[in-house]
Every structure is written in C-alpha cells, then in structure tokens.
C-alpha cells in the first residue's frame, strides 16, 4: 500500500484504522471478551478511527495545500470558490502538489536569472550611454574653454576648434536622434506603412546615395549575379531604406581599401525574400556575433569611435526588421568579411 506513488488520505486512514482495530481486537481476546463483543469493538473502532482520522487528515492537508497555492498564485478565493474547491473538485495528491511547487520554483528561478541578466544589461547600457554622451560633451567643453582662454584671437586655430566643436555637437545630435528613434521602435509608437516595391531598385538607390563614401576607399558596389531579376517586397519602404543605408554604410566604414560590397536577393519559399549585404572588410570574431545588435555594443571600441557612429545603428536595424515580423542574422570571420541578412514579406505585383 505504501509503495503506491499517489497514496490517498482514504488509504492512509483505512490503514491506520485497521491497525487500531487489530490492536483493539487483540486486547479483547487477551481479556477473554466474547467473539461477538470483540467483532463489535473491532468494527466500531475501525469506523470511528477511519472517519476521525480521514476528517483530520483531509482538513490538515487541504489547509496546507490551500496555503501553498495562495503563496504560489497569490490569489484569494471567495467562500463559494472555497467550498467548490474543497467539496466538489477532486483534491490533488501530495505528489501532484509537489510537482506544481517544483514547476513554480523552476519558473521563479528562471525569472530571477532573467532579472539578473536584465540588470546586468541595464548597468552596461547606462555605462555605455554615459560614456557616449561624455565623449562629445567633454570635447566641445574643451574647445570652448580653450577659445575663451584666448585661442579665439588666434586665426590659426579658432576656426579649426569651432569646426571640431561643431562635429562633436553633430555627433551628440545624431546620438539623441537615434535614442529617440529606438525608444519609439521599442515602445511600438512608430507605425509601419507597408507598400509593394522592387527591392533591387531600393538597393541601387542606397548604392548611389553612399557612392561618394565608397569612392574614398575605392569600394565597389554590386548586386550579385543571378539576383538582378526584380523581386517585389511588401514593407515600409523608407524604414527598409534606413536598414539598407545602415548596413551598407557599415560595410564601407569597416571595409578594406579597394574592397567590395555585394547585395544578394533571394525568393526563399514564395512567402519571404532574403536580402543579404556582404562585404570584404575586417570582419568580427565569433564571440561578438550574438551581441552585435545590442545598443552601444562595439567589437572594437577605440576603432569604432574613430570611424564614427552612435553605436545604435544595428539595434535600430534589428527593431525595424522585427517590427515587420521578420528576422535578421549575421555571419562573419576576421579579415574575411561580414554578411548581414534579413527577410521581408514577398510582395504581389499589382
């Protein structure tokens, strides 16, 4: 009986009552009480012990289980619900309650781990934000103080200092604009206005926009052979333009002299289109890939700041793509290059 996995209060009460009844019967036989009286004593002892023990056990277990579930679910039942749960619904066994408690403990453990991770990300974000804000502010402060201390009268440096101060103010403005945009994307305030357009045409427009920057490093833009046939997508054209500008501009920033940036477009399954932007740049180590879309995450902080940018570009790209209910990924290898790929919904020609 005790080897059963789910030992019910009824079985436990019956076993206890049987033991007490046998003791009572044995005592009657020792005292040489008649067989009839012994059987009556045995039966009465069994019934009284069974129902008394069962009532006590069920009420004790129910109160304990009720406290456990109140603690787990933090709920308060009405009198009607209390009566219904106690008298109509089948009571859970101790093993079932134990299983529920283990599940609850596991969920709480996961929640605590997520909270710790979020706290670590929050601290890192605030630290990075503070550093990103301090850098241009301190630079502007230094240039202005130097000018006020007399450099403003020196024509050899005053214009240079003002130009450098302006560059840092522009950087600060870009940072604030990017923070505002990513906040809107995360809060869902920014709407996605879908339209159908040819993705190759948009890629070519972005290539033309960034051609001057590419020419400075003699980087060639191209669409991969076999991907030239027009493919229509359904998406927010200006938001996707922003995604492409960010990815292609990064391919130029981190590209090698006389390198190349190649765009590939594939119709995947008749429902989605895969767009990939590949470069022959400096690449990234594998350990950085899971975090490249985080805000302010930089694989090489010193080099990234020298090149420019706010550190929010890829985070904005990820949010825009996910706002379209699509995905983005990255592949990279040091000194070989990087490939960023994202999907869009296939558009139907009107």
């Amino acid at each position: 009986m005790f080897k059963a996995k789910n030992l019910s209060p009824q079985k436990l009460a019956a076993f206890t009552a049987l033991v007490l009844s046998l003791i009572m019967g044995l005592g009657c036989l020792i005292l040489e009480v008649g067989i009839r009286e012994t059987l009556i004593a045995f039966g009465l002892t069994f019934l009284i012990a069974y129902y008394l023990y069962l009532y006590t056990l069920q009420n004790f277990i129910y109160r304990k289980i009720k406290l456990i579930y109140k603690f787990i679910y933090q709920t308060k039942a009405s009198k009607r619900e209390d009566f219904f749960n106690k008298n109509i619904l089948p009571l859970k066994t101790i093993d079932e309650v134990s299983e529920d408690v283990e599940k609850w403990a596991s969920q709480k453990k996961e929640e605590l781990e997520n909270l710790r991770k979020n706290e670590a990300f929050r601290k890192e974000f605030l630290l990075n934000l503070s550093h990103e804000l301090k850098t241009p502010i301190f630079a502007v402060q230094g240039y202005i103080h130097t000018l006020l201390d007399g450099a403003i009268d020196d024509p050899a440096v005053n214009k240079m200092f003002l130009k450098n101060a302006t560059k840092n103010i522009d950087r600060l403005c870009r940072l604030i604009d990017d923070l505002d945009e990513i906040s809107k994307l995360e809060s869902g305030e920014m709407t996605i206005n879908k339209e159908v357009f040819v993705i190759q045409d948009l890629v070519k427009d972005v290539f033309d926009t960034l051609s001057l920057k590419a020419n400075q490093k003699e980087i060639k833009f191209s669409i991969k052979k076999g991907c030239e046939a027009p493919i229509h997508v359904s998406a927010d054209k200006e938001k996707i333009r922003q995604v492409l500008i960010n990815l292609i501009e990064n391919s130029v920033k981190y590209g090698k002299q006389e390198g190349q940036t190649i765009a590939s477009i594939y119709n995947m399954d008749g429902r989605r289109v895969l767009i990939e932007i590949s470069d022959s740049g400096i690449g990234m180590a594998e350990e950085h890939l899971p975090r490249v879309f985080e805000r302010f995450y930089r694989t090489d902080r010193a080099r990234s700041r020298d090149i420019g940018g706010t550190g929010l570009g890829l985070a904005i790209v990820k949010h825009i793509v996910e706002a379209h209910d699509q995905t983005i990924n990255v592949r990279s290898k040091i000194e070989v290059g990087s490939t960023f790929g994202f999907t869009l919904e296939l558009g139907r020609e009107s």
Side-chain angles (χ1 to χ4, degrees):
M1 183 183 292
F2 284 106
K3 291 182 180 179
K5 184 177 180 182
N6 295 322
L7 189 63
S8 66
Q10 289 83 357
K11 290 181 179 179
L12 190 58
F15 179 79
T16 306
L18 181 62
V19 171
L20 292 175
S21 301
L22 289 172
I23 294 172
M24 176 63 73
L26 186 61
C28 290
L29 290 175
I30 292 173
L31 296 172
E32 297 181 353
V33 178
I35 296 297
R36 183 171 175 273
E37 288 78 9
T38 300
L39 291 174
I40 292 171
F42 179 87
L44 286 173
T45 304
F46 181 85
L47 291 173
I48 293 170
Y50 175 79
Y51 285 108
L52 183 62
Y53 192 78
L54 180 61
Y55 176 80
T56 305
L57 191 62
Q58 282 184 325
N59 277 273
F60 174 78
I61 290 174
Y62 176 74
R63 279 197 296 268
K64 293 297 181 183
I65 290 175
K66 184 180 177 182
L67 287 173
I68 288 170
Y69 278 98
K70 276 185 177 180
F71 180 72
I72 290 176
Y73 298 112
Q74 296 180 342
T75 58
K76 183 174 179 63
S78 65
K79 289 184 178 180
R80 181 180 295 178
E81 291 171 334
D82 200 31
F83 176 83
F84 184 79
N85 293 335
K86 183 178 179 181
N87 298 292
I88 299 177
L89 288 180
L91 293 177
K92 290 193 174 185
T93 63
I94 297 297
D95 287 328
E96 289 173 329
V97 175
S98 177
E99 188 178 340
D100 287 342
V101 171
E102 286 176 5
K103 287 181 182 177
W104 174 80
S106 177
Q107 289 172 354
K108 290 298 176 185
K109 185 178 179 182
E110 289 179 7
E111 287 177 11
L112 286 172
E113 288 177 355
N114 288 332
L115 286 172
R116 290 192 188 102
K117 287 179 183 177
N118 290 337
E119 178 66 12
F121 284 134
R122 185 187 68 82
K123 288 179 180 178
E124 185 177 355
F125 169 72
L126 290 175
L127 183 65
N128 289 331
L129 177 60
S130 174
H131 191 82
E132 294 291 342
L133 289 171
K134 276 193 226 177
T135 303
I137 289 172
F138 286 169
V140 171
Q141 187 182 45
Y143 289 127
I144 290 175
H145 281 307
T146 305
L147 289 168
L148 290 174
D149 289 340
I152 195 169
D153 297 321
D154 186 349
V157 297
N158 54 14
K159 284 188 178 180
M160 181 184 70
F161 277 19
L162 286 171
K163 285 180 180 178
N164 289 337
T166 301
K167 284 181 182 178
N168 281 279
I169 290 172
D170 290 341
R171 179 182 172 186
L172 191 59
C173 290
R174 288 197 304 272
L175 176 60
I176 292 170
D177 288 341
D178 283 352
L179 281 170
D180 180 58
E181 184 162 7
I182 203 168
S183 297
K184 288 179 180 177
L185 285 166
E186 287 181 341
S187 63
E189 292 180 15
M190 192 168 287
T191 57
I192 300 297
N193 301 310
K194 288 188 176 182
E195 60 180 294
V196 176
F197 59 92
V198 176
I199 188 65
Q200 284 91 340
D201 292 344
L202 184 60
V203 171
K204 290 174 184 176
D205 285 347
V206 175
F207 279 166
D208 291 340
T209 302
L210 299 174
S211 59
L212 289 176
K213 289 185 178 181
N215 291 338
Q216 291 173 3
K217 297 178 74 170
E218 299 181 45
I219 291 176
K220 293 181 179 179
F221 289 151
S222 64
I223 293 178
K224 189 175 181 179
K225 289 183 179 179
C227 297
E228 300 93 343
I231 295 179
H232 290 77
V233 297
S234 177
D236 188 317
K237 189 173 183 179
E238 293 311 309
K239 294 289 189 302
I240 300 304
R241 184 191 301 275
Q242 188 176 359
V243 168
L244 289 170
I245 287 174
N246 205 302
L247 295 179
I248 294 170
E249 190 172 32
N250 278 352
S251 75
V252 174
K253 285 180 183 177
Y254 302 104
K256 295 177 183 177
Q257 193 73 24
E258 299 181 3
Q260 58 181 342
T261 296
I262 301 173
S264 307
I265 298 96
Y266 307 98
N267 185 336
M268 293 179 64
D269 52 11
R271 294 185 296 112
R272 291 176 298 171
V273 176
L274 173 65
I275 300 98
E276 290 190 331
I277 305 298
S278 304
D279 63 60
S280 56
I282 59 176
M284 294 175 285
E286 188 176 350
E287 64 266 21
H288 295 302
L289 300 185
R291 299 192 62 189
V292 293
F293 296 106
E294 291 179 17
R295 291 170 292 184
F296 296 119
Y297 186 80
R298 299 180 188 270
T299 57
D300 186 336
R301 295 184 179 277
R303 182 184 292 181
S304 296
R305 288 197 178 90
D306 289 340
I307 291 173
T310 62
L312 293 170
L314 289 178
I316 292 173
V317 163
K318 182 173 182 287
H319 280 293
I320 291 175
V321 172
E322 289 181 349
H324 284 76
D325 296 322
Q326 300 296 324
T327 58
I328 185 167
N329 60 75
V330 58
R331 307 189 305 274
S332 189
K333 191 172 182 180
I334 293 178
E335 298 305 324
V336 175
S338 303
T339 296
F340 287 85
F342 64 95
T343 59
L344 291 176
E345 181 184 344
L346 181 66
R348 305 298 175 188
E349 297 181 54
S350 56

